[in-house]
């Protein structure tokens, strides 16, 4: 099996190709990251971006739970906001943040954030309107092709499928 | 413990049930009460949950899982995983 652990796709080619603007010597200083993730994997991605100098805002939903004891370690260095993206006020606040963001990290199942209007296609349209592209990142359990692509999963689930978590191995 | 690997009705076939962020749905799905304050030790809990999982085959658990939108999955050996349709659908690209 030689699939790479990540892949990069161009979402649109209408916005100008400009490098991300950094403020100081740190790799990602001044880069604005919006995190829409829970639990471990997604939050770890943005925590690393923050460690390289990015400004990270973690957006949580009042109606979605998370695991309390992961929060202290997983969210070091971030700011957070709790927004109901199904409400007009929540969307207005989120869109103000989105207008200034460089990177959006989406850890929900493919299509979930798109249903709220903020998936990669919608971000591309917004990018063209504002004249500046977005970097959209998605991570999930089963990849983006194949019959299991929209199946929910966590790290132990992925281990179980690939093995060697099985007792018989 | 509602997110763990357990033996199923079929010998040598194991299933990882996953209670996700709230365990009640997965526990109820296999016929257990969400709260069992009477279970005091780790062994008691494992016994209770595994006896419940063992009433089902992997296929039955997959169906319950899909109906209840839970994240569990069958435990595959690496060789079995490489033969799954999901893998060949990736290799076809």
């Amino acid at each position: 099996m030689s699939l790479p652990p990540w892949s990069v796709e161009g979402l649109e080619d209408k916005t100008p190709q400009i490098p991300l603007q950094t403020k100081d010597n740190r790799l990602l200083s001044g880069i604005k990251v919006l995190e829409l993730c829970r639990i471990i994997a997604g939050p770890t991605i943005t925590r690393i971006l923050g460690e390289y100098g990015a400004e990270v805002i973690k957006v949580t939903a009042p109606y979605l739970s998370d695991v309390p004891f992961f929060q202290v370690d997983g969210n070091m260095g971030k700011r957070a906001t709790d927004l109901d993206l199904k409400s007009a006020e929540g969307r207005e606040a989120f869109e103000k943040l989105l207008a200034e963001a460089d990177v959006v990290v989406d850890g929900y199942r493919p299509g979930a954030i798109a249903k709220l209007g903020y998936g990669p296609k919608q971000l591309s349209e917004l990018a063209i309107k504002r004249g500046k592209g977005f970097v959209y990142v998605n991570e999930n359990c089963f990849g983006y092709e194949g019959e299991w692509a929209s199946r929910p999963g966590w790290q132990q689930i992925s281990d179980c499928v690939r093995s060697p978590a099985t007792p018989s191995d | 413990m509602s997110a763990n690997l357990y033996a199923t009705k079929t010998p040598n076939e194991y299933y990882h049930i996953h209670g996700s962020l709230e365990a009640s749905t997965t526990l109820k799905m296999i016929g257990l009460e969400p709260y069992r304050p009477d279970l005091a030790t780790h062994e008691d809990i494992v016994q209770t949950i595994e006896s419940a999982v063992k009433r089902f085959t992997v296929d039955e658990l997959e169906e319950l899982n899909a109906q209840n939108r839970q994240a569990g999955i069958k435990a595959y050996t690496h060789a079995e995983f490489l033969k799954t349709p999901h893998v060949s659908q990736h290799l076809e690209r």
Side-chain angles (χ1 to χ4, degrees), chain A residues 1 3 38-39 65-67 109 142 145-149 151-152 154 156-157 160-163 165-167 169, chain B residues 5 14 16 18 20-21 62 65 69-73 75-78 81-82 85-87 89-91 93:
Chain A
M1 282 281 304
L3 273 186
R38 297 189 289 167
I39 324 299
S65 53
D66 205 330
V67 178
R109 270 180 292 164
F142 289 103
E145 321 251 331
E147 60 180 20
W148 290 340
R151 228 183 131 126
W154 311 100
Q156 310 98 308
I157 300 295
C160 252
V161 164
R162 290 176 301 112
S163 201
T166 50
D169 273 354
Chain B
L5 200 52
Y14 298 85
H16 194 309
H18 201 295
S20 187
L21 292 164
E62 275 287 280
N65 216 38
R69 302 176 58 194
Q70 298 296 282
I73 198 148
Y76 290 84
T77 62
H78 195 65
F81 167 65
L82 291 178
H86 187 67
V87 168
Q89 282 150 3
H90 278 84
L91 296 177
R93 291 175 78 233

Side-chain angles (χ1 to χ4, degrees), chain A residues 3-17:
Chain A
L3 273 186
W6 68 80
S7 62
V8 179
E9 260 178 59
L11 289 175
E12 49 84 19
D13 56 7
K14 306 258 181 336
T15 54
Q17 281 190 341

Side-chain angles (χ1 to χ4, degrees), chain B residues 4-23:
Chain B
N4 213 339
L5 200 52
Y6 292 102
T8 64
K9 194 175 193 183
T10 314
N12 292 319
E13 286 196 357
Y14 298 85
Y15 200 85
H16 194 309
I17 54 170
H18 201 295
S20 187
L21 292 164
E22 58 81 33

Side-chain angles (χ1 to χ4, degrees), chain B residues 8 17 24-25 28 35 48 88 93:
Chain B
T8 64
I17 54 170
S24 322
T25 306
K28 276 195 216 148
Y35 294 99
T48 304
S88 48
R93 291 175 78 233

Side-chain angles (χ1 to χ4, degrees), chain A residues 20-39:
Chain A
L20 291 172
Q21 297 297 298
T22 54
K23 279 201 299 210
D24 59 44
N25 285 342
R26 290 174 306 155
L27 216 54
L28 299 179
S29 61
I31 304 302
K32 294 185 170 157
V33 177
L34 276 182
E35 173 196 314
L36 294 161
C37 304
R38 297 189 289 167
I39 324 299

